[in-house]
Amino acid sequence: AEKFLDIKCRKAKLKPSLVCVVVTAKALKLHGESEDYKNNDLDALKKGISNLEKHLENIKQYNSPCMVCINKFGNDYKDELEYIESWCKEHNYEYAFDEGFAYGGKGSVDFAKKVVECVNKDNKFKLLYNDSMSIEDKIETICKKIYGASNVVYLDKAKEDLKDIHNLKLDSYPVCIAKT
């Protein structure tokens, strides 16, 4: 999302009407290090929901309307889905279930209605950083605000590359950070 919001939206002058984070019980269990995501594993799901929380915290920084789409499948466990729903309520996140996988368009009606409701909310979308900032400041902003870094340390080769960017007068370009 950071790359889309900070690069694509900036260059195409887009203002997203809504950012929708899609989640499944299976994915949350895997993020919670479930040893067998096919079984009911509420403890792993509770642990894995921190991944969803971080994504939503990141999206909040852009001031765009945001919601959670809980992608529901027939083999999901009721208590796990209830936990995701209660977590969204507790943290004041808009959410809707989507059962499109099982029921096609009819299974997505509630989700679609919630999308319409959310896109009609106040939208004060803003980019994470300004074009006028130095490349180093842009990198630091992304690292700290999105990835939770406390500081940024550059290798000598990176310092040389940054000098080249300055000399070529490319400082106004957006920054794309690839995690490896």
Side-chain angles (χ1 to χ4, degrees):
E2 181 272 324
K3 290 160 190 60
F4 176 81
L5 295 170
D6 270 325
I7 298 173
K8 181 67 175 182
C9 290
R10 179 186 311 271
K11 291 302 181 183
K13 299 189 183 343
L14 299 174
K15 179 181 178 181
S17 300
L18 173 69
V19 176
C20 184
V21 179
V22 180
V23 65
T24 63
K26 174 184 172 181
L28 293 176
K29 288 189 281 188
L30 288 170
H31 284 294
E33 300 175 2
S34 176
E35 294 189 20
D36 186 2
Y37 66 83
K38 292 179 183 177
N39 289 323
N40 191 326
D41 193 348
L42 190 56
D43 289 337
L45 187 136
K46 287 178 178 180
K47 183 179 175 186
I49 210 156
S50 64
N51 182 272
L52 172 62
E53 185 172 31
K54 180 59 179 158
H55 284 292
L56 292 168
E57 285 174 8
N58 287 348
I59 298 304
K60 275 182 161 181
Q61 296 182 75
Y62 294 91
N63 288 344
S64 178
C66 175
M67 72 171 284
V68 177
C69 173
I70 305 167
N71 226 351
K72 189 175 175 183
F73 294 93
N75 58 352
D76 287 336
Y77 295 94
K78 184 179 178 187
D79 63 331
E80 293 176 347
L81 295 173
E82 287 173 347
Y83 180 80
I84 299 168
E85 181 178 28
S86 68
W87 184 91
C88 289
K89 285 179 183 177
E90 180 183 327
H91 292 83
N92 296 315
Y93 285 110
E94 299 286 350
Y95 71 93
F97 287 96
D98 188 332
E99 296 185 80
F101 183 78
Y103 303 109
K106 290 180 182 176
S108 298
V109 170
D110 290 339
F111 167 64
K113 286 179 182 177
K114 189 57 139 183
V115 166
V116 171
E117 180 185 317
C118 288
V119 298
N120 288 317
K121 292 189 175 210
D122 191 28
N123 187 346
K124 295 180 181 170
F125 176 73
K126 67 179 178 94
L127 298 167
L128 199 60
Y129 57 82
N130 296 319
D131 288 333
S132 61
M133 292 170 70
S134 70
I135 293 294
E136 292 88 347
D137 286 343
K138 292 173 187 176
I139 291 169
E140 186 173 315
T141 297
I142 294 168
C143 289
K144 287 182 176 181
K145 290 187 174 184
I146 300 297
Y147 298 110
S150 57
N151 66 339
V152 177
V153 177
Y154 296 98
L155 298 175
D156 289 338
K157 173 66 174 129
K159 290 176 185 176
E160 291 173 27
D161 292 343
L162 288 168
K163 283 181 189 174
D164 290 342
I165 289 170
H166 295 304
N167 291 337
L168 292 168
K169 301 190 185 320
L170 300 174
D171 296 281
S172 66
Y173 279 51
V175 172
C176 182
I177 295 180
K179 298 182 302 178
T180 58

